Amino acid sequence: MEQFYTPRPEFLVVGLLLFSVSVHAQISIPSKQDGFWYKDRAAGIDSILIEAFLDPVCPDSRDAWPPLKQAFEFYGSRVSLVVYPFALPYHDNAFLCSRALHIVNKFNSSSPYKLLESFFGSQEEFYNQKTFNLSRASVVAYVAKFAANAVGNTLYDEIKAGFSDSTTDQATRYSFKYGCLKGVYGTPFFFVNGYPLPDAGSALSYKDWRGFIDPLVAEAEASRVEPSHYLL
Ligand SMILES: *[C@@H]1O[C@H](CO)[C@@H](O)[C@H](O)[C@H]1NC(C)=O
Ligand SMILES: *[C@@H]1O[C@H](CO)[C@@H](O)[C@H](O)[C@H]1NC(C)=O
């Protein structure tokens, strides 16, 4: 039988110190919540919250978007949706395109969605193979031009400059890190009221969304009418 090893107390103290130092060194907290609220409808205490981690150059994220939008429209004010760009490391231009979403967000909160839909519409242009022989600088210039076309051509210079602004780099890192903290490992990846949905990494259909959200809406309605029983 093996004997249990009891560490000497001074080792424990050193271990604890090292642990607390490393935790303090790693956590850097953004000054406000991350994410793009769809239609500027932030979550209220009674709303059902959908969080979506999407990679602008991921085909499954692209396919997931129309049914999610359709579900959002169906449920109206009962649902709030927040999207976080999540750049998968094996998509060469994912971080760049995600950064473009943060850049255009500075001009108008609806712009990230316009641009996201444009990326989804012309996604092949940003695939690894397509940009393999291009320099980083020319891909950045291309993405800036593409983004300006999507959200308003007058903004080209500002968008281009956004790629040299360290705050947009930081914002894109926060989105990625937030996903990592929540255990995101592929896209699309969804959470409802903070809980992960099954089938991560594949697109959910409108029917799937109804299957997840309908029972929650029904439950919420039931709990809302209940107090009146006590009043009778
Ligand atoms: C943002 O863009 C939307 C849609 O194009 C527009 O309706 C809205 O007025 C813009 N908001 C601002 C602050 O420019
Ligand atoms: C990249 O350039 C090389 C040399 O010109 C060419 O042989 C290759 O096919 C190109 N690759 C792609 C993916 O365009």
Side-chain angles (χ1 to χ4, degrees):
M1 193 184 183
E2 270 187 65
Q3 237 182 327
F4 287 109
Y5 166 70
T6 317
R8 283 161 47 196
E10 56 268 36
F11 287 169
L12 276 178
V13 170
V14 169
L16 275 176
L17 276 176
L18 281 177
F19 176 73
S20 61
V21 164
S22 68
V23 164
H24 283 294
Q26 279 166 23
I27 293 183
S28 137
I29 300 174
S31 61
K32 63 185 189 76
Q33 285 181 58
D34 188 30
F36 308 127
W37 290 102
Y38 188 56
K39 307 268 185 199
D40 279 330
R41 193 194 296 157
I45 50 170
D46 282 334
S47 53
I48 292 165
L49 171 64
I50 300 176
E51 293 169 282
F53 287 84
L54 304 175
D55 179 337
V57 291
C58 155
D60 294 310
S61 294
R62 174 194 63 199
D63 296 344
W65 181 239
L68 173 54
K69 252 179 28 168
Q70 195 187 346
F72 178 89
E73 298 300 342
F74 175 79
Y75 290 109
S77 61
R78 285 171 292 192
V79 162
S80 284
L81 166 64
V82 60
V83 167
Y84 307 92
F86 190 77
L88 293 169
Y90 38 87
H91 293 153
D92 295 344
N93 302 308
F95 191 86
L96 189 57
C97 294
S98 297
R99 188 173 179 182
L101 299 178
H102 279 288
I103 291 171
V104 301
N105 188 45
K106 292 193 158 187
F107 306 119
N108 186 316
S109 61
S110 70
S111 295
Y113 286 98
K114 273 194 201 160
L115 180 54
L116 184 64
E117 291 186 347
S118 298
F119 279 137
F120 286 158
S122 308
Q123 208 175 47
E124 295 77 11
E125 295 178 40
F126 304 95
Y127 286 169
N128 297 0
Q129 183 73 4
K130 196 75 194 282
T131 56
F132 184 75
N133 275 334
L134 303 176
S135 71
R136 192 70 181 160
S138 67
V139 179
V140 170
Y142 184 70
V143 170
K145 190 135 205 322
F146 184 91
N149 272 336
V151 304
N153 267 316
T154 51
L155 292 171
Y156 175 74
D157 289 335
E158 286 96 326
I159 292 172
K160 187 89 197 301
F163 285 101
S164 319
D165 175 358
S166 64
T167 64
T168 67
D169 176 63
Q170 188 63 258
T172 319
R173 292 183 192 204
Y174 277 134
S175 295
F176 171 74
K177 286 168 200 256
Y178 186 56
C180 294
L181 286 169
K182 287 178 73 81
V184 174
Y185 54 82
T187 58
F189 207 112
F190 302 109
F191 296 84
V192 172
N193 292 342
Y195 284 71
L197 293 188
D199 295 329
S202 43
L204 297 177
S205 67
Y206 176 68
K207 199 161 157 270
D208 293 331
W209 279 112
R210 293 291 306 272
F212 288 124
I213 308 289
D214 278 0
L216 306 183
V217 169
E219 237 178 272
E221 299 281 312
S223 67
R224 202 169 295 159
V225 289
E226 225 158 65
S228 63
H229 296 312
Y230 301 111
L231 293 176
L232 291 177

